[in-house]
Amino acid sequence: MHIGIDPGKWKMGIAAVDGDVAIAAVVRVPRGTWTETAAVNAVLDGLQALRKRGVSLHHAHIHIEKPMHYGGAKAALQRDVVALEELSLRLRAELHPLGYKVSLYTPHGWKGNVPKPVHHRRVRRALSPAGRRTIEAVDYGDAQADVWDALGLALFGAGQLGRGGRR
């Protein structure tokens, strides 16, 4: 089982795939004021929600996006990227002792440098028809992009999606 986690300051997508089949996805929002601890708790809650939906987390491989600051951004944006980079490191530190294999990927490293709509079309094409139906049956509201990114991370980690699209 491969789990993708797209961490964020406001909402986080968490998705599970088995090969090219999407099993389930959830969105979690840290409670109260955003802190690293609140975000970690939201991810742990999301993993439990996947388990309640029948996803076996035993020996799961978790793939987390580790944002990087590439320079040139405004100071506030830089702080957000640094906070999310630290969150991804903290998630790895928290999840690894629980028995999960955890991998971190920079956005450029796993999806390349393409606009979100192009990347999300790649993810859709990499999913089996049943996996697409599973995900598209749920309305994730304004967190749809977070879900597709989490699915992309899981598919990339499972070897079903390369930086250029389907392998």
Side-chain angles (χ1 to χ4, degrees), residues 75-90:
L77 197 53
Q78 290 174 11
R79 283 191 299 275
D80 285 353
V81 170
V82 169
L84 292 175
E85 182 179 14
E86 291 171 358
L87 171 60
S88 64
L89 295 171
R90 168 96 181 267

Side-chain angles (χ1 to χ4, degrees), residues 37 40 44 89-100 102:
T37 299
V40 168
L44 293 173
L89 295 171
R90 168 96 181 267
L91 284 169
R92 180 177 62 186
E94 296 280 343
L95 294 170
H96 185 71
L98 297 176
Y100 299 111
V102 181

Side-chain angles (χ1 to χ4, degrees), residues 6-119:
D6 180 33
K9 286 281 298 233
W10 311 115
K11 54 193 173 303
M12 293 175 278
I14 306 167
V17 301
D18 187 3
D20 66 350
V21 179
I23 306 299
V26 296
V27 175
R28 288 296 178 263
V29 177
R31 292 189 177 140
T33 304
W34 191 93
T35 64
E36 195 174 280
T37 299
V40 168
N41 288 337
V43 167
L44 293 173
D45 179 65
L47 292 174
Q48 290 304 315
L50 289 178
R51 180 177 277 134
K52 288 178 184 173
R53 292 184 185 184
V55 175
S56 172
L57 299 178
H58 187 65
H59 298 296
H61 188 156
I62 297 180
H63 310 278
I64 303 170
E65 185 173 78
K66 180 181 176 242
M68 281 186 65
H69 173 61
Y70 294 104
K74 295 178 181 176
L77 197 53
Q78 290 174 11
R79 283 191 299 275
D80 285 353
V81 170
V82 169
L84 292 175
E85 182 179 14
E86 291 171 358
L87 171 60
S88 64
L89 295 171
R90 168 96 181 267
L91 284 169
R92 180 177 62 186
E94 296 280 343
L95 294 170
H96 185 71
L98 297 176
Y100 299 111
K101 182 176 180 186
V102 181
S103 299
L104 301 177
Y105 304 101
T106 63
H108 183 72
W110 75 273
K111 63 182 171 182
N113 201 13
V114 297
K116 276 202 184 289
V118 171
H119 170 64

Side-chain angles (χ1 to χ4, degrees), residues 127-167:
L127 284 172
S128 69
R132 266 193 309 277
R133 284 191 300 274
T134 296
I135 298 306
E136 291 173 348
V138 177
D139 179 8
Y140 299 99
D142 66 348
Q144 195 73 41
D146 302 290
V147 168
W148 287 109
D149 282 350
L151 282 165
L153 280 157
L155 289 167
F156 180 82
Q160 298 296 319
L161 185 69
R163 277 185 66 225
R166 190 173 186 112
R167 288 188 176 200

